[in-house]
Amino acid sequence: MKVKDVVALAAANLGREDLVQEAYAAASPAGELLSLVRCYNLVENEVAVDYVPLRKEETFASADGGIAFVRFSCAPVEILRVTDEAGNPLAYTLSAEGICVQGGGTVRVQYNYSPAEKDWEDDCAFSGKITARLLSFGVASEYCLSRGQFSEAAVWQKRYQDALRAADFPRRPLRMRSRRWV
């Protein structure tokens, strides 16, 4: 799913057919479409940081035991696990600049990250349970807030939160209990 598809769906949700047509005709966003892309980036970051974390694992070589955050391919939000090349957990400390691991060598770091800002033609960071429909509700809410339409923003925020709750909880298989006679 592309950013422009989510933005077009959000515009359709808001009843802005002019923006929907402009979204499919435009090579790059301008005006209100650019505002919707900004809202998309806010929503995608919120989902990744607060609800459905994006995970990544990277391997680093470190002679002195220090791994700067600038060496990571994505901006880390939370460090989940630090292991050596054999998979044994390593003790580490966090600083403002990076991770400090005792010793040196090859270190594997598993972490949650914040997605990079997306442009018009970029792919969304999510797939599966986080659908374009769910993201479009959040984009519509953010757009209404930015325009001062607070009552409409509250409606879209409720739909967005309900969709997040539905996507986050695994559903148990339905079972019919056996009949018991007294």
Side-chain angles (χ1 to χ4, degrees), residues 67-72 76 79 93-100:
I67 303 168
F69 287 136
V70 295
R71 291 180 57 192
F72 287 76
I79 304 297
T93 57
L94 293 175
S95 67
E97 292 82 31
I99 301 172
C100 297

Side-chain angles (χ1 to χ4, degrees), residues 29-45:
E32 289 183 279
L33 285 180
L34 195 59
S35 178
L36 283 168
V37 171
R38 183 186 57 78
C39 292
Y40 169 83
N41 283 316
L42 291 172
V43 169
E44 185 180 58
N45 191 29

Side-chain angles (χ1 to χ4, degrees), residues 40-109:
Y40 169 83
N41 283 316
L42 291 172
V43 169
E44 185 180 58
N45 191 29
E46 177 187 358
V47 172
V49 171
D50 295 338
Y51 299 104
V52 182
L54 296 169
R55 288 204 169 102
K56 192 167 196 160
E57 185 171 318
E58 291 188 64
T59 303
F60 300 98
S62 174
D64 60 352
I67 303 168
F69 287 136
V70 295
R71 291 180 57 192
F72 287 76
S73 62
C74 299
V77 173
E78 179 183 14
I79 304 297
L80 301 173
R81 186 180 339 164
V82 178
T83 59
D84 60 10
E85 52 193 342
N88 301 319
L90 296 174
Y92 64 94
T93 57
L94 293 175
S95 67
E97 292 82 31
I99 301 172
C100 297
V101 180
Q102 292 180 348
T106 304
V107 177
R108 283 191 294 185
V109 180

Side-chain angles (χ1 to χ4, degrees), residues 154-181:
V155 170
W156 289 112
Q157 182 68 20
K158 171 129 178 47
R159 287 184 178 181
Y160 171 60
Q161 294 294 327
D162 290 344
L164 276 172
R165 261 187 240 101
D168 192 32
F169 294 118
R171 296 195 176 142
R172 295 184 315 189
L174 296 176
R175 295 186 317 187
M176 184 177 283
R177 295 183 62 146
S178 63
R179 294 184 180 198
R180 298 177 190 216
W181 300 97

